[in-house]
Amino acid sequence: MTLPTRPLGRSDLTVSALGLGCMGMSEFYGPRDEQEAVATLHHALDLGVTFLDTADIYGPYINEELVGRAISGRRDEVVLATKFGIVRDLARPLYRGYNGTPEYVRSSCDGSLRRLAVDHIDLYYLHRVDPDVPIEDTIGAMSELVTAGKVRYLGLSEAAADSIRRAHAVHPITALQSEWSLWSRDVEGEIIGTCRELGIGIVPYSPLGRGFLTGAITSPEDFAEDDVRRHHPRFQGEAFAKNLELVDTVRAIAESKGVTASQVALAWVLAQGDDVVPIPGTRRRSHLEDNVAALQVLLEHDDLERLNALAPVGERYADMTFVAGVTPPAR
């Protein structure tokens, strides 16, 4: 099956108009089912979803291995993206740190290539900017990977406008991956404007608001005990109740069109520009098919006006903490 494609910014990297985020297949959102995850990855390729996203810290490490096994024999069908730069400590499961040193750039890339069982990475992201390392040094080392043929294109994740400009001055940045949805609008304005000025594609992660915009979550008790969303401010207390009102609007528009709330939420992200390629994550084939069908949903001007007026209640989360009680390094 062939899906519509979109170029990432002004680069010559073309991807399926909808990608697949693979993080939840290995961690963070409840119990794993590796057999279903692999089946979902295979089904994604069959449907024409060729843009797959992973990272070394998912698992940690095991998500890259899972993706590598799933694409074995089908590498030429895949635009493969992975990330490095967030550091975890297995002795302290809640800890998150940063490392953007040139030495870590090189060792991380080699580790990802080994786990993915591939000879090159199509799009290699700096997962977070290391505040203690000049971004010019990090991107300089990443550009050497391009010269060596280990990486084709470079990206950034959750970077500020100034960091994007400084990085792009060293080596062309092909994509910025940041959270963007009806649930999270923080990147609108300076960050999106900078990307468009420089010709950088935009890859929204969590375009379904970490599942909230699907309408399937009606109570904090819907989450498994080990689901990190239990600790996110928007999923707690009065914020949770207020945010359900946001979902009511999404659901009402969906019902008027005979589609699902998920499809409306994804259609809104897709409507933000032809340089936008969302990567909704899912672990199940049925949800994957629902997401792909969003490419056929057309939102009218009035629909977009109603959706643009929505605003979530509560903080997203302290970036990089993912769970309560962890203080990230000072920026």
Side-chain angles (χ1 to χ4, degrees), residues 8-331:
L8 284 179
R10 290 196 289 264
S11 76
D12 59 358
L13 181 60
T14 299
V15 298
S16 54
L18 195 75
L20 175 60
C22 301
M23 180 185 78
M25 296 176 178
S26 297
E27 196 176 13
F28 300 120
Y29 294 149
R32 300 194 304 269
D33 183 341
E34 184 169 314
Q35 183 176 353
E36 178 61 19
V38 170
T40 299
L41 284 159
H42 289 167
H43 195 45
L45 298 182
D46 293 339
L47 291 174
V49 178
T50 58
F51 187 32
L52 305 182
D53 183 87
T54 181
D56 58 4
I57 69 154
Y58 300 160
Y61 309 124
I62 59 174
N63 193 248
E64 287 186 325
E65 294 171 348
L66 171 70
V67 172
R69 288 194 297 275
I71 67 172
S72 178
R74 303 184 70 171
R75 176 66 179 94
D76 61 347
E77 301 176 45
V78 176
V79 176
L80 183 59
T82 191
K83 302 178 284 293
F84 82 98
I86 297 178
V87 180
R88 297 179 65 177
D89 183 348
L90 295 180
R92 293 183 292 164
L94 303 185
Y95 171 78
R96 303 290 186 272
Y98 309 87
N99 193 334
T101 61
E103 296 79 13
Y104 193 70
V105 170
R106 292 186 283 268
S107 65
S108 294
C109 180
D110 288 343
S112 289
L113 288 169
R114 182 178 64 254
R115 288 185 292 272
L116 291 162
V118 298
D119 63 4
H120 71 277
I121 295 162
D122 295 304
L123 179 58
Y124 199 41
Y125 292 102
L126 173 61
H127 208 162
R128 293 293 189 278
V129 175
D130 186 339
D132 297 323
V133 177
I135 195 166
E136 291 83 359
D137 293 354
T138 305
I139 300 300
M142 292 173 70
S143 72
E144 294 174 3
L145 301 175
V146 177
T147 301
K150 295 181 178 183
V151 169
R152 295 177 60 207
Y153 300 89
L154 303 185
L156 299 173
S157 179
E158 291 282 356
D162 179 64
S163 295
I164 296 168
R165 291 185 183 278
R166 290 169 57 193
H168 193 71
V170 176
H171 186 97
I173 300 300
T174 295
L176 174 74
Q177 181 179 135
S178 288
E179 186 169 2
W180 192 15
S181 71
L182 290 167
W183 178 254
S184 183
R185 311 278 295 273
D186 304 347
V187 296
E188 294 177 13
E190 185 180 17
I191 292 175
I192 296 299
T194 298
C195 287
R196 287 179 168 157
E197 175 192 336
L198 299 176
I200 296 170
I202 302 154
V203 180
Y205 72 83
S206 295
L208 294 174
R210 301 177 183 274
F212 198 80
L213 297 172
T214 66
I217 299 168
T218 59
S219 164
E221 299 308 311
D222 290 338
F223 301 125
E225 287 296 327
D226 59 349
D227 192 313
V228 297
R229 289 172 291 185
R230 280 181 171 269
H231 307 288
H232 289 185
R234 289 179 185 168
F235 290 103
Q236 298 180 39
E238 292 183 10
F240 188 98
K242 283 289 186 181
N243 287 326
L244 285 177
E245 297 175 11
L246 180 155
V247 178
D248 287 342
T249 299
V250 177
R251 186 186 290 111
I253 292 173
E255 289 175 353
S256 73
K257 295 181 175 297
V259 299
T260 66
S262 299
Q263 289 163 357
V264 167
L266 285 174
W268 179 86
V269 178
L270 288 160
Q272 301 311 301
D274 291 339
D275 55 352
V276 177
V277 181
I279 51 168
T282 184
R283 300 175 291 176
R284 298 180 178 88
R285 285 166 283 182
S286 58
H287 293 170
L288 174 69
E289 291 175 353
D290 188 75
N291 292 345
V292 168
L295 291 165
Q296 307 303 319
V297 175
L298 177 64
L299 296 177
E300 305 294 340
H301 177 76
D302 289 348
D303 300 324
L304 291 170
E305 287 291 302
R306 289 177 67 189
L307 293 169
N308 288 338
L310 299 176
V313 175
E315 294 296 320
R316 180 174 67 145
Y317 58 83
D319 184 37
M320 287 253 316
T321 59
F322 301 137
V323 290
V326 184
T327 302
R331 284 183 176 274

